[in-house]
Structure formats: structure tokens, C-alpha cells
């Protein structure tokens, strides 16, 4: 009896999957691989049913002989171990980043004469609707909010990219790349005060009010499913912060990061070039504790951001604050620096981890940008935030286009630098 392998990620079995099983069954004994949660989040949607529940679902399909877990998105674990005569997959993986997986599977099969069967992808109204419903489920506040904590437990480092509008949110949501034989994507979005303010042509001094900041979050959430981390600046008055926490939590935001500054906040990347005052440990601890007391779920995180290194107050001060803020209930610590060298950040992480192995650590490598995700993870960092790169990419491109049109008295010369019109009009999916 020949063996046929097919890998599933789905949480709902529809006509497309049944067709694949039928095609597989014609060729022999069917083994379904359930792609593990850890592998799934690197290139597909976050599962709302975990791998155990999905395995149970697949076992119930008629014609399925066996269900195994597949931990490697590239099939390196399952194919050499099972040596199936056939691998069956929908032909949708012939294009886009997934084609890298298909090519790799072909190579693996070639080694012992196994065959790849591409089954025509089922496109119909039912399949489209199910797909849409699964996506919508992830966007619901309950599902979205809890995913940041889940991701911290699932992946060596959670990768977060800034978003300040529906469009930038879509870029973070949909960008999947193939690199070094693997697929990858961002895990979550950062609603930066710097970028939100800059998009409105305003300075980053807590001038853009909370109602407007919430509106930005809503624009992003409307068109995405990934978790959101909100840059809450200083958190404002404690009496106001508790309301902010409630609103963010209800919206489905996963975390707010507040920084231990007081008075007129300026952007940290100015460092000591501008007047900035750090809040006392007692004052900031009280704000964290009040915020935690206002939370209605265990999912929502309040992360304390420490400005001691930015304000040149030293490592001991940063560590003392970190311990105090965790003691006050902070669900994570963000440590910031504007040095080009990541040395002081890595030193902080190593020292912090000596006595605290579990509290999530967050860093924002805007200045110390040579440091890699692997390096950060090896020093105990759990979340990396790319805080402003999309804004900084768009601004020079827009400026150059405006200048080119002014110089040429027409748009033709600028057009060569631009996205084609037919791409922009199809960029946004319609319901
Ligand atoms: C932001 O993105 O607004 C931040 C990070 O707070 S930083 O600009 O580095 O202070
Ligand atoms: Mg900020």
C-alpha cells in the first residue's frame, strides 16, 4: 500500500480540504500532517484552535488513516521520517512566498523518488466565506488581545513593526518574505507616539490627544488581525491612565507601554539634549499599580519603560527601577537606549535576567540597529519593536516625488518611481 502525505493548517474543514483528501485517498493510505502552532505563526495566520484541537479535527475526516504533527514548515522533519510515496497539496502554493516550500518539498521527494501532486485549489463562495470568517475571528477583541502573551510563550522573539494608519497596518499584516529557505512575517504592530504624531504633522510631546490616538488604533484594527502594542507615552495623570487602560483593553489592544517620565515629555531619541524629567520610582509604581487594578482581563499587559539609560542615570538606577516596577505589577519591562552600540542594552538584559527569568523584556533598536533578533533573544529579550521605520521610509519617497513633479512640470518622470495605478486600485481587498 502506497502512502500519501498532506499537510493541513486549517481550523475548519471545507470542500477544498475534502477534495485534497479524496485525491490523496485515490493514491494510497492518507497521513495528514498538522502544522505545529510554532511553525504556523511564521507564515500563516495565528491559529484560534491550537495544534492539539486541530489534530483531533483532522482525525475525524473520513479517509484519514493517521494524523501526525509537522513541526517544520519546510517538511524537513516529516518527509525523511515518513518517506511518503506522494505529497498532495493545493496548487495555490505554486506562486508567492509559499512556492519556496513547494520547491523544497520537491527536492526532498527527489532524494528517494517520491512524487508531488498539485491538486487544483478549490475556489468557491463557501471557501471564500469560511476564510473570511476565520480572519474576522482573529480580529475580534477577545482573540486579538490575548495573542501577544501567547506569542511571547511561542516564539524566541516577537517581532513588532510600527503602524500609524490602515495602510501601514495592512503592510505589517500582509508582508510575508522568503529568506534563507524559510518564510517569515511580523507578529504584531506598534502604535508609536512618534509616528502617530508625525503623520499628523505634530511634535511627539503628548499633544495628539487620546481620542485621536484611539482613532488611529481603530483605523488599524479595522483592516488587520495582528495584536497591537500601544505607545502610551507617560500614561498621563494616574487618574486618566486608568480610563486609558479600560478603553485599550476593551478595544482588544494587547499591551500599553508607559515610560517613567513626568512633565512635558519629549521623544527619547533627543536624550539629554532637551529638558526631560524622570518620574520617581514611587510615583511611577503607583501609576502601574493603578493601571493593573483597572484591568478586567489577565490578557492585557502594562509594560513599564525605563528611561534611565536615555537620561544617563546609570545601569544601577535602571535595574532598581525594573525590579520596583515588576514589584508594582508591570507585566513587562522595556529598556531604551539611544547609543549606536547595543552594549548597554545587552548588559541591562543580562543583569536583569540574573534575578528575573520570566518577566518579558522589550527593546526598540532604532539607534542600536546593528543588533540582530537572534542576538537579542540570546540575551533574554522577548519582544523587538521596529518603532518608526515605515514612517521614515515613506517620508523621503514622498518628498522626492513632490520635488520631481515640481522640477519637471509634469508627473511622467516621477511615475517611474511609483507603484503602478492598477496595483494601487487593487491593493485593498473588497468584502
Ligand atoms: C515611539 O516610537 O514613539 C517611541 C520609541 O516611543 S522612541 O521614538 O525611540 O522613543
Ligand atoms: Mg513614543
Amino acid at each position: 500500500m502506497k502512502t500519501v502525505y498532506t499537510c493541513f493548517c486549517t481550523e475548519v474543514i471545507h470542500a477544498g480540504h475534502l477534495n485534497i483528501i479524496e485525491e490523496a485517498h485515490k493514491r494510497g493510505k492518507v497521513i495528514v500532517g498538522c502544522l505545529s502552532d510554532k511553525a504556523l505563526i511564521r507564515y500563516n495566520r495565528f491559529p484560534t484552535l491550537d495544534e492539539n484541537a486541530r489534530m483531533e479535527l483532522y482525525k475525524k475526516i473520513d479517509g484519514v488513516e493517521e494524523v501526525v504533527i509537522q513541526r517544520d514548515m519546510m517538511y524537513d522533519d516529516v518527509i525523511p521520517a515518513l518517506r511518503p510515496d506522494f505529497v498532495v497539496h493545493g496548487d495555490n502554493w505554486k506562486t508567492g512566498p509559499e512556492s519556496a516550500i513547494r520547491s523544497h518539498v520537491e527536492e526532498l521527494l527527489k532524494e528517494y523518488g517520491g512524487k508531488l501532486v498539485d491538486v487544483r485549489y478549490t475556489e468557491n463562495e463557501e471557501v471564500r466565506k469560511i476564510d473570511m470568517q476565520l480572519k474576522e475571528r482573529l480580529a475580534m477583541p477577545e482573540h486579538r488581545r490575548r495573542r501577544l502573551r501567547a506569542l511571547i510563550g511561542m516564539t524566541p522573539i516577537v517581532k513588532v513593526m510600527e503602524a500609524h494608519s490602515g495602510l501601514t497596518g495592512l503592510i505589517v499584516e500582509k508582508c510575508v518574505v522568503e529568506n534563507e529557505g524559510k518564510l517569515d512575517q511580523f507578529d504584531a504592530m506598534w502604535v508609536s507616539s512618534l509616528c502617530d504624531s508625525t503623520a499628523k504633522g505634530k511634535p511627539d510631546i503628548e499633544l495628539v490627544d487620546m481620542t485621536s490616538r484611539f482613532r488611529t488604533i481603530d483605523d488599524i484594527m479595522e483592516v488587520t488581525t495582528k495584536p497591537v502594542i500601544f505607545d502610551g507615552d507617560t500614561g498621563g495623570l494616574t487618574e486618566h491612565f486608568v480610563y486609558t487602560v479600560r478603553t485599550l483593553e476593551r478595544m482588544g489592544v494587547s499591551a500599553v507601554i508607559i515610560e517613567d517620565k513626568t512633565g512635558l515629555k519629549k521623544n527619547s531619541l533627543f536624550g539629554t539634549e532637551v529638558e526631560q524629567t524622570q518620574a520617581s520610582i514611587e510615583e511611577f509604581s503607583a501609576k502601574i499599580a493603578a493601571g493593573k487594578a483597572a484591568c478586567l482581563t489577565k490578557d492585557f499587559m502594562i509594560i513599564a519603560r525605563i528611561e534611565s539609560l536615555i537620561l544617563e542615570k546609570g545601569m544601577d538606577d535602571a535595574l532598581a527601577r525594573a525590579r520596583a516596577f515588576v514589584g508594582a505589577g508591570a507585566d513587562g519591562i522595556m529598556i531604551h537606549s539611544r547609543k549606536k552600540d547595543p552594549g548597554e542594552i545587552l548588559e541591562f538584559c543580562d543583569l536583569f535576567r540574573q534575578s528575573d527569568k520570566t518577566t518579558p523584556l522589550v527593546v526598540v533598536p532604532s539607534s542600536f540597529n546593528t543588533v540582530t533578533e537572534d542576538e537579542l533573544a540570546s540575551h533574554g529579550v522577548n519582544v523587538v519593536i521596529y518603532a518608526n521605520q515605515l514612517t521614515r521610509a515613506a517620508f523621503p519617497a514622498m518628498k522626492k516625488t513632490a520635488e520631481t513633479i515640481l522640477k519637471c512640470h509634469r508627473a511622467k518622470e516621477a511615475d517611474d518611481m511609483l507603484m503602478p495605478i492598477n496595483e494601487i486600485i487593487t491593493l485593498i481587498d473588497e468584502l
Side-chain angles (χ1 to χ4, degrees), residues 261-278:
K261 282 200 267 193
T262 187
L264 180 63
K265 186 220 84 146
K266 304 251 175 75
N267 186 273
S268 297
L269 302 175
F270 284 120
T272 50
E273 288 157 28
V274 292
E275 181 82 30
Q276 306 209 54
T277 320
Q278 209 170 8

Side-chain angles (χ1 to χ4, degrees), residues 60 65 74 93 107-108 124 131 145 159-160 162 195 232 258 260 267 306 336 343 374 386 426:
K60 290 192 193 117
E65 186 91 11
M74 302 310 280
W93 74 343
E107 294 290 309
L108 291 171
N124 63 32
D131 198 58
R145 191 195 303 118
K159 293 185 273 233
V160 187
E162 72 106 334
C195 299
I258 51 169
D260 60 351
N267 186 273
I306 294 166
H336 207 19
D374 280 350
Y386 298 100
T426 53

Side-chain angles (χ1 to χ4, degrees), residues 144 160-165 168-169 172 188-197 200 204 210 212-221 224 226-233 248 251 253 255-257 305 385-388:
R144 196 192 299 242
V160 187
M161 172 54 91
E162 72 106 334
H164 57 268
S165 59
T168 48
V172 187
M189 295 171 282
W190 165 245
V191 181
S192 148
S193 67
L194 173 65
C195 299
D196 202 356
S197 308
K200 292 172 170 57
D204 182 17
M210 274 300 161
S212 169
R213 305 279 323 273
F214 295 155
R215 178 73 226 169
T216 303
I217 298 176
D218 203 39
D219 285 346
I220 294 168
M221 286 188 153
T224 62
K226 290 185 177 177
V228 170
I229 304 178
F230 182 69
D231 176 358
D233 289 317
L248 294 171
M251 290 175 90
V253 169
V256 61
I257 302 188
R305 161 171 167 177
I385 299 178
Y386 298 100
N388 48 45

Side-chain angles (χ1 to χ4, degrees), residues 156-157 371-380:
I157 191 154
V371 73
T372 64
E373 291 159 2
D374 280 350
E375 241 176 306
L376 291 170
S378 73
H379 289 268

Side-chain angles (χ1 to χ4, degrees), residues 85 93 112 131 158 197 254 270 282 314 330 364 389 420:
D85 298 290
W93 74 343
Y112 63 90
D131 198 58
V158 177
S197 308
S254 302
F270 284 120
E282 295 69 30
V364 179
Q389 285 77 6

Side-chain angles (χ1 to χ4, degrees), residues 14-32:
H14 58 52
H17 307 108
L18 296 178
N19 185 38
I20 290 199
I21 298 295
E22 198 181 316
E23 287 299 323
H25 200 245
K26 283 181 195 162
R27 292 168 173 83
K29 179 181 114 168
V30 181
I31 305 175
V32 172

Side-chain angles (χ1 to χ4, degrees), residues 47-264:
T48 59
L49 277 187
D50 71 15
E51 60 197 32
N52 297 324
R54 284 184 289 118
M55 282 183 86
E56 290 310 311
L57 179 70
Y58 307 158
K59 280 181 194 162
K60 290 192 193 117
I61 307 172
D62 271 352
V64 172
E65 186 91 11
E66 194 184 338
V67 178
V68 298
I69 189 90
Q70 178 181 327
R71 299 202 186 278
D72 190 323
M73 77 164 84
M74 302 310 280
Y75 293 57
D76 276 323
D77 53 345
V78 285
I79 293 190
L82 298 171
R83 294 173 69 89
D85 298 290
F86 298 96
V87 168
V88 178
H89 198 286
D91 65 359
N92 54 320
W93 74 343
K94 282 185 162 177
T95 54
E98 265 193 285
S99 61
I101 306 182
R102 184 181 180 278
S103 308
H104 190 69
V105 168
E106 267 188 322
E107 294 290 309
L108 291 171
L109 289 171
K110 225 185 257 168
E111 282 175 26
Y112 63 90
K115 292 213 162 26
L116 182 60
V117 181
D118 296 301
V119 176
R120 201 158 157 221
Y121 186 74
T122 308
E123 269 178 282
N124 63 32
E125 199 43 42
E126 184 219 357
V127 169
R128 211 180 68 87
K129 205 168 152 197
I130 290 176
D131 198 58
M132 184 70 75
Q133 282 169 350
L134 286 173
K135 189 169 155 225
E136 293 293 319
R137 199 195 284 178
L138 282 177
M140 297 300 278
E142 292 298 321
H143 279 293
R144 196 192 299 242
R145 191 195 303 118
R146 70 166 82 106
R147 268 161 60 208
L148 181 64
R149 272 199 201 274
L151 280 160
I152 290 171
M154 284 166 77
T155 176
I157 191 154
V158 177
K159 293 185 273 233
V160 187
M161 172 54 91
E162 72 106 334
H164 57 268
S165 59
L167 184 61
T168 48
L170 275 179
I171 290 174
V172 187
E173 176 83 10
K174 293 192 171 181
C175 188
V176 177
V177 292
E178 187 255 310
N179 188 28
E180 295 164 354
K182 295 243 181 283
L183 302 195
D184 211 352
Q185 64 176 319
F186 290 107
D187 299 297
M189 295 171 282
W190 165 245
V191 181
S192 148
S193 67
L194 173 65
C195 299
D196 202 356
S197 308
T198 302
K200 292 172 170 57
K202 297 275 171 68
D204 182 17
I205 52 172
E206 297 188 270
L207 175 66
V208 177
D209 65 67
M210 274 300 161
T211 308
S212 169
R213 305 279 323 273
F214 295 155
R215 178 73 226 169
T216 303
I217 298 176
D218 203 39
D219 285 346
I220 294 168
M221 286 188 153
E222 187 84 21
V223 294
T224 62
T225 65
K226 290 185 177 177
V228 170
I229 304 178
F230 182 69
D231 176 358
D233 289 317
T234 64
L237 294 172
T238 300
E239 292 83 347
H240 294 174
F241 179 56
V242 288
Y243 285 92
T244 304
V245 165
R246 275 282 166 84
T247 308
L248 294 171
E249 191 180 27
R250 177 169 44 74
M251 290 175 90
V253 169
S254 302
V256 61
I257 302 188
I258 51 169
E259 56 198 273
D260 60 351
K261 282 200 267 193
T262 187
L264 180 63

